[in-house]
Amino acid sequence: RACMKWRGKKMHKFDAAFMRIVVGYLGLYPTLLLVLTLLKPITEHQSFPMMVLIEVAVLVPVTQLISFPLAGWLVSRIKSMKW
């Protein structure tokens, strides 16, 4: 019984880590494509360091404030669906 309890905790940690990875992929890649596409006219004539600075200044807040919470909500909705 103690072994089952330990295995359950270990599996719960694995599931939580897996969900964080899924949310990260769902939140990051579409946001990255969208933001970089929208910023291309602004950043295409900039130097590389300036381009990276502009993209990061826009990408990080959008990802942290909008994309990750939205992806987390989507994953939780999908998990709660009854198949």
Side-chain angles (χ1 to χ4, degrees), residues 12-57:
H12 178 72
K13 286 183 180 181
F14 174 79
D15 287 343
F18 180 73
M19 281 299 118
R20 282 195 300 271
I21 291 169
V22 169
V23 167
Y25 278 119
L26 286 176
L28 183 60
Y29 288 112
T31 304
L32 193 61
L33 289 173
L34 181 67
V35 168
L36 294 180
T37 302
L38 293 174
L39 287 178
K40 185 175 182 188
I42 298 168
T43 60
E44 68 183 341
H45 299 295
Q46 302 291 331
S47 66
F48 184 73
M50 184 57 87
M51 178 182 69
V52 170
L53 181 66
I54 293 169
E55 289 173 352
V56 168

